[in-house]
Amino acid sequence: MYLIVGLGNPERKYDGTRHNVGFEAIDAISKQFGIEVNHKEHKGIVGKGIINGKKVILVKPQTYMNLSGECVLPLTDYYEIDPSTEMVVISDDVSLSTGNIRVRKKGSAGGHNGLKNIINLLGTNEFPRIRVGVGECEGDMIAHVLGRYDAEDRERVDASMEKVIGAVELFLDGDLDAAMNKYNKKEEK
């Protein structure tokens, strides 16, 4: 069983904001593989299904970004998920150009409060993550991550979902190295 977690904020007013790109990724994955994400469980909205022969749980934590771990920890405990090999977290990244992605096997929160909360509650930073670029902040960080994309950036983010899906498939195949080699390219501005 694999846990695929997309980070975001639950209220409709946050739909389409930079911070909710993790939710958008879960939506894209669920559409691609026909997995309905509509069941409430452990402070999240989840969907269970099969991707490339692997049992998966797609998750959108409903705890708000800064408390994402309050959903992730109970799910990893209940389903006996090893975060280092059976979980991937998808989040926004303000240090990447819009639409670029970066795959990592482990690492720090990089200033991301959702990742920070997951790391604190799990007691480890050793879990894979896919970070989706939402553009660098040139002012107020909160206004930036809770803001929406212009038309050009919206297209870039929509196009990045294909890369995210590809990275998730490689993760499920146990080949994060291939995902990093394929998707961690030099920044496209």
Side-chain angles (χ1 to χ4, degrees):
M1 179 86 65
Y2 293 86
L3 206 57
I4 303 169
V5 181
L7 301 187
N9 286 308
E11 292 181 63
R12 276 199 177 283
K13 68 181 179 181
Y14 297 110
D15 289 354
T17 63
R18 291 178 183 90
H19 231 11
N20 272 36
V21 77
F23 279 13
E24 290 183 36
I26 293 298
D27 292 342
I29 295 164
S30 72
K31 183 178 179 185
Q32 176 79 22
F33 297 101
I35 300 170
E36 289 189 39
V37 180
N38 59 6
H39 175 72
K40 291 183 180 180
E41 190 174 334
H42 297 288
K43 297 185 181 181
I45 304 293
V46 304
K48 297 175 186 172
I50 306 287
I51 297 177
N52 298 349
K54 307 282 190 341
K55 291 181 182 178
V56 300
I57 303 172
L58 304 181
V59 183
K60 293 179 180 179
Q62 299 296 292
T63 54
Y64 292 91
M65 182 64 77
N66 295 353
L67 301 175
S68 297
E70 291 182 7
C71 170
V72 173
L73 177 62
L75 284 167
T76 59
D77 286 348
Y78 184 80
Y79 290 102
E80 298 179 357
I81 301 287
D82 177 350
S84 68
T85 58
E86 299 170 333
M87 179 179 85
V88 64
V89 177
I90 307 165
S91 68
D92 58 298
D93 190 326
V94 297
S95 66
L96 290 173
S97 297
T98 305
N100 284 298
I101 75 166
R102 177 138 318 128
V103 180
R104 292 280 185 252
K105 291 182 180 179
K106 61 182 180 178
S108 73
H112 192 285
N113 288 331
L115 289 172
K116 189 181 302 180
N117 187 253
I118 292 170
I119 290 167
N120 287 341
L121 292 182
L122 290 180
T124 182
N125 67 356
E126 296 197 13
F127 57 87
R129 68 274 320 256
I130 300 168
R131 298 178 77 143
V132 181
V134 296
E136 293 184 29
C137 177
E138 297 177 6
D140 181 79
M141 182 63 75
I142 293 171
H144 180 71
V145 296
L146 296 182
R148 288 178 170 70
Y149 308 99
D150 61 25
E152 189 177 314
D153 282 350
R154 177 79 260 169
E155 284 182 29
R156 286 186 181 120
V157 168
D158 290 345
S160 76
M161 292 301 129
E162 189 174 313
K163 293 185 267 187
V164 170
I165 290 168
V168 166
E169 289 183 286
L170 287 167
F171 159 74
L172 291 171
D173 289 342
D175 204 347
L176 273 176
D177 288 329
M180 290 188 294
N181 288 334
K182 184 171 184 175
Y183 297 110
N184 294 357
K185 304 273 187 217
K186 188 173 185 328
E187 282 279 300
E188 299 169 16
K189 298 284 180 181

